[in-house]
Amino acid sequence: VFTMFSNSVTNGGKTTLAEKLKKMLPNCDIISQDDFFKPESEVETDERGFKLYDELDALYMDEMVTRIHNWMKSPVSSGVVTEEPQNTCDNLKNVYILIVEGFLLYNYKPLNELWNRRYFLTLPYEECKRRRSTRVYQPADTPGYFDGHVWPMYLKYKNELEENASMQVGTVSLIELSSRVYSDIVQELYRLRE
């Protein structure tokens, strides 16, 4: 069992990267942090009226960790699709790979012991805001939400990672990143098999 974590700013490409890797890797499954949001009624609202979705308290993180542990104990029973990916390495066919993607993964300590590899995707402010404006959320973003809550929370969590020296942040294209991540995973799997 091999676990990879992909963390990112909102609309940073983590789901696209995860789906692309799933097509390239054998026995690969994805767990998305977005599947663990609490209902709107359980998410706190700040003094400006913004729902605080970009905080760990807006998520059922214990349930997410439990799902990851359950997958790691029994990836076959988790429903992993074992169809042949586009670029299968023959000696990796009996390895199970889990990609966990989300926007607040590395700031949640119980997850830090579960990964073999981790990646942090980032975007410039303008591109992130443009992408966010093209998405439809339930509930919908209120005016000023991106600048008043989403972007400041991203910067806060990114700064925490950089201050703890637990993450290197750089910029590459999605094509280059997916190629680099695929290569990293294959190398790590070979190393683990030795």
Side-chain angles (χ1 to χ4, degrees), residues 9 51 67 71 81 94 97 103 118 120 134 148 154 180:
V9 64
K51 285 288 189 179
R67 182 167 316 158
W71 188 97
V81 178
N94 294 326
I97 300 166
F103 66 106
R118 66 184 186 163
F120 185 84
T134 65
Y154 158 69
R180 185 182 299 175

Side-chain angles (χ1 to χ4, degrees), residues 154-174:
Y154 158 69
L155 292 177
K156 174 188 173 206
Y157 289 120
K158 179 178 171 260
N159 288 337
E160 285 177 10
L161 293 174
E162 291 173 332
E163 286 173 11
N164 294 330
S166 63
M167 185 65 56
Q168 294 178 350
V169 177
T171 305
V172 296
S173 71
L174 185 60

Side-chain angles (χ1 to χ4, degrees), residues 3-192:
T3 54
M4 185 202 102
F5 286 70
S6 171
N7 197 87
S8 167
V9 64
T10 182
N11 299 288
K14 58 195 168 297
T15 303
T16 302
L17 174 63
E19 292 294 337
K20 186 173 181 114
L21 289 169
K22 184 174 180 174
K23 290 178 182 175
M24 297 168 66
L25 294 163
N27 304 325
C28 186
D29 203 1
I30 299 171
I31 292 178
S32 175
Q33 190 174 38
D34 286 351
D35 295 337
F36 297 90
F37 273 109
K38 293 178 179 177
E40 182 180 3
S41 62
E42 293 183 35
V43 177
E44 290 187 39
T45 303
D46 72 7
E47 65 280 353
R48 298 165 295 180
F50 293 147
K51 285 288 189 179
L52 303 179
Y53 280 105
D54 289 70
E55 297 188 11
L56 286 168
D57 288 342
L59 297 149
Y60 292 119
M61 292 302 294
D62 291 341
E63 288 181 20
M64 183 178 187
V65 171
T66 298
R67 182 167 316 158
I68 293 167
H69 279 291
N70 289 341
W71 188 97
M72 292 173 74
K73 287 177 193 169
S74 182
V76 175
S77 67
S78 69
V80 174
V81 178
T82 57
E83 63 192 44
E84 290 294 313
Q86 296 168 357
N87 302 315
T88 301
C89 301
D90 285 339
N91 56 352
L92 299 179
K93 288 182 181 177
N94 294 326
V95 175
Y96 291 90
I97 300 166
L98 176 63
I99 299 172
V100 179
E101 61 96 358
F103 66 106
L104 287 175
L105 299 176
Y106 306 144
N107 303 83
Y108 190 66
K109 289 186 177 27
L111 291 176
N112 288 335
E113 62 197 42
L114 301 179
W115 50 269
N116 295 96
R117 289 283 183 161
R118 66 184 186 163
Y119 299 89
F120 185 84
L121 290 80
T122 188
L123 288 175
Y125 166 84
E126 296 81 14
E127 178 64 12
C128 185
K129 188 171 185 175
R130 184 194 66 74
R131 288 185 187 184
R132 178 85 181 201
S133 71
T134 65
R135 301 267 177 96
V136 177
Y137 291 94
Q138 285 300 334
D141 284 356
T142 56
Y145 187 66
F146 181 83
D147 289 318
H149 179 67
V150 174
W151 189 255
M153 292 307 295
Y154 158 69
L155 292 177
K156 174 188 173 206
Y157 289 120
K158 179 178 171 260
N159 288 337
E160 285 177 10
L161 293 174
E162 291 173 332
E163 286 173 11
N164 294 330
S166 63
M167 185 65 56
Q168 294 178 350
V169 177
T171 305
V172 296
S173 71
L174 185 60
I175 293 169
E176 183 182 344
L177 181 61
S178 61
S179 177
R180 185 182 299 175
V181 172
Y182 176 78
S183 177
D184 286 351
I185 291 171
V186 170
Q187 288 176 15
E188 181 73 9
L189 291 171
Y190 283 130
R191 187 188 67 74
L192 291 172

